[in-house]
Every structure is written in C-alpha cells, then in structure tokens.
Amino acid sequence: MTSPIPSSPKPGASAAEAPIGHGGDLGAARALFPGAPEPIVDLSTGVNPHPYPIAAVASEDFARLPEPVRLAGLVDRAAAFYGAPSAEHVVAAPGGQILMALIADLSPKGEAAILGPTYAEHARVTAFAGHDVETVSAVNRLGAAPLAIVVNPNNPDGRLLPRAALLAIAERQKAHGGLLVVDEAFMDAEPDESVGGDVESANIVVLRSFGKFFGLAGLRLSFALSGRELAARLRARLGPWPVSGPALAIGAAALSDRAWIEKTREDLRASSGRLGALLRRSGLEIVGRTGLFCLARSPDAQGVFGRLGEAGVFVRRFDEDRHLLRFGLPGTEIEWKRLEDALRTPA
C-alpha cells in the first residue's frame, strides 16, 4: 500500500528506485492542510503513542563505538523476547528495511512472491535486488517461488495467518530450497502466532521491529531471526557496528522490562477496542485491525480524510483503494477528543 502522496520517480529512475511515501510525514500533512491547527495529531502510523520511558543515556553511548559485548547483550535479550532458538539465530540492524534488502540480495535471483496487498517497500527492495516480484492474493500461491514474503499481521488490514499455515508454506519452500520471509513488525502486541522459534528447523526468516510496539521508531532498531548460516551472512554484511550505542542501551533495557511489556499489551488492547468503537459510531466499517491500528472503509473516505486533515488530524489513505483509511492510536485524551470531534458529520 502506497502513501497518500506518492513520490514521482526521478528522470531515468526505475520503478524499484523510485521512493515510496509512508505514514508519519508531517511535512506532507502540512502541505496538504496548510490551515490545520497545530500540533497535528498524527494517526498515520502504527507506532505505539506511549513510548517506552527512556532513562538518561550515558554520553559514552554517543561518544564511543558500540562495544561487541554490549551488542551481544542486546541480542541475548532479543532472542529471549522474540522466542528465537538462541542468540546465534538473531541479527540486530538499524531497521527492518535494511534487513529485507540484504536478505533479497543474498537470495538466489529469480521469482519472488509477496502475499498482498501489503507493505510496499518489500516488493520494491526485492525487485531492486534483481528478483521478478509478483504480488499474490492467495496463500496457496506461495511456496513455489524461490523467495516468498508474508507480512503477519499484515499491514494495513491486520490479516493474521496462523503459525500452522506459515509452517506449511515453509515446508513447501524447503522442498525446493526456497526461503520464506515473515515480517512480524506488528506481532508484539499479540505474539501467539509468531514463527520466531521455528527459524532453525524451517526455511524461515522472521523480521521483528522494535520501534512500533515500544513506540521508539526513530531509534531505528530491528532484528532478523533466522538459521545460523544465514544469520552469520547477515552479520557479515552489516559489519561490526550494526546499531548505535544508544540503541544498544535502550533496546536492552526495554526488551528486559517484562512488567512494562505486559502492561502495554493490555493497554493497547483497550485502546484498539476504543478506537474501533469510535470509528463504528462515526459510520465507518472496521475491515481490519491490530493492537496498533484500525483499517476502516467508507464510501466517503476521501471526504473523511479531508475533514480530519482540516481539523489537524492526519490519517493514512491509499491510492489502491480510495475507500480505505488507516487510523493509528491517539496518545492523549486531548487527541481522542480532537479525533472524535473531527469525525462528526458536518451539518
């Protein structure tokens, strides 16, 4: 799914090289709605609006190169949190997009199938790596291409494939030496269907995003869970300092904070339910959701988008289906009230 304001390719650029717009672009919001009241309520992303509370970061974390022992500590905590077989199966990186690009580049070039419609960057970077990419709409069409990619839960509709279904796809991939990549960026809120513990026994790579659930997207921290051999190749490509010193410190603390994690899961379930109820009362149909966003349908979606934008509430719309809008979670009671007021049908 592309953004409300797609970027135009530079002259001579291929489709894979052309940038894709995404949520969270407040500059684009202000350009679209120059008279909107500030601060803009940004509901165009699926990021937890209540971020993990960051303690003071030591100046040494900025001044010194990240030390290998601290990277190992972060990876140990990530392996425990994500249910990986061991720390040897986990690779830290500055964002899942870099990991997907590296995986595509390391995979034998050929056909790649992506279950869609879904997050558009995976198709772009996979094509850029030299694969012939096809977006398929049915699960049974996965398992034949050398590289298969599934976003689970899916972005933007929240579709969740059971673990058993993904393992069946992985078995088909394994039969011909193929690979299944499962992007679990939105899995943290409800982790029961994760295949993170299956990466050694099956031909699976799992991508996990730290920033969404922990509300720290700007930290740029993600992880790949994979078999040992591929994990070693990814580490070699990323080099000795794959993430920053502040990311090491903050990530290790957050991934170990079980009390905060469990409380946040409860809070996100409650907020997601509140958001869905508000949207339904406002005449929108809920067609998909996760703990971090709701996807809604309306025959007047473009009108709703415009009214919200004029009121300083920015949500996500989609070029592929002009009847869809995706709503992230408001973070404060003031933001909830602004959303509720903006959704009221004008007289």
Side-chain angles (χ1 to χ4, degrees):
M1 289 287 183
T2 54
S3 75
I5 310 173
S7 302
S8 299
K10 296 178 182 179
S14 70
E17 291 174 307
I20 295 172
H22 296 285
D25 188 345
L26 293 185
R30 292 184 176 101
L32 268 178
F33 305 107
E38 295 279 354
I40 290 175
V41 178
D42 184 14
L43 306 183
S44 67
T45 69
V47 175
N48 184 353
H50 300 289
Y52 184 77
I54 300 174
V57 179
S59 60
E60 289 82 1
D61 288 328
F62 293 94
R64 293 177 57 83
L65 285 172
E67 297 183 38
V69 67
R70 299 188 65 201
L71 175 60
L74 171 66
V75 170
D76 281 340
R77 288 168 173 77
F81 179 69
Y82 297 123
S86 77
E88 293 181 15
H89 297 81
V90 179
V91 180
Q97 202 54 48
I98 288 175
L99 287 166
M100 185 67 245
L102 287 175
I103 292 163
D105 191 50
L106 290 170
S107 300
K109 304 305 179 283
E111 295 179 353
I114 299 179
L115 186 63
T118 191
Y119 179 61
E121 284 287 349
H122 290 338
R124 186 184 73 86
V125 300
T126 302
F128 195 72
H131 297 267
D132 296 321
V133 180
E134 179 185 10
T135 299
V136 301
S137 58
V139 174
N140 60 12
R141 295 187 63 189
L142 295 171
L147 180 60
I149 302 169
V150 176
V151 179
N152 197 54
N154 191 44
N155 177 14
D157 61 12
R159 177 201 63 229
L160 182 65
L161 296 182
R163 175 172 168 269
L166 291 168
L167 292 179
I169 298 168
E171 280 299 309
R172 295 198 293 271
Q173 290 296 91
K174 193 172 184 178
H176 59 78
L179 184 68
L180 171 63
V181 178
V182 184
D183 181 349
E184 295 184 350
F186 290 99
M187 185 66 78
D188 289 357
E190 300 286 350
D192 291 346
E193 300 298 337
S194 173
V195 291
D198 302 293
V199 294
E200 184 61 50
S201 58
N203 286 21
I204 296 176
V205 180
V206 171
L207 303 180
R208 297 297 290 254
S209 170
F210 175 87
K212 293 178 175 62
F213 176 76
F214 289 95
L216 297 170
L219 197 64
R220 306 309 304 141
L221 177 61
S222 289
F223 300 91
L225 284 57
S226 75
R228 287 183 176 88
E229 181 180 350
L230 180 56
R233 296 176 71 193
L234 289 171
R235 284 191 206 96
R237 286 293 188 99
L238 287 162
W241 306 290
V243 296
S244 69
L248 293 179
I250 295 167
L255 290 168
S256 303
D257 195 337
R258 300 302 305 183
W260 186 92
I261 290 165
E262 292 306 320
K263 179 65 164 55
T264 297
R265 284 174 175 157
E266 293 176 7
D267 291 345
L268 290 177
R269 283 191 287 269
S271 293
S272 178
R274 180 181 179 181
L275 178 60
L278 172 58
L279 297 178
R280 283 191 293 269
R281 288 199 306 272
S282 303
L284 283 73
E285 176 192 4
I286 304 300
V287 295
R289 69 194 309 163
T290 71
L292 287 167
F293 62 77
C294 285
L295 185 70
R297 182 182 297 278
S298 169
D300 185 35
Q302 298 308 303
V304 173
F305 176 83
R307 291 194 296 274
L308 291 173
E310 295 293 344
V313 179
F314 192 47
V315 300
R316 187 76 182 275
R317 64 177 176 177
F318 302 95
D319 294 331
E320 294 87 342
D321 191 331
R322 305 287 282 178
H323 295 124
L324 293 178
L325 296 173
R326 194 188 69 185
F327 293 76
L329 300 176
T332 66
E333 287 302 318
I334 291 174
E335 292 183 353
W336 281 103
K337 184 65 164 56
R338 284 183 65 184
L339 173 61
E340 184 175 9
D341 290 345
L343 282 170
R344 290 183 181 137
T345 303

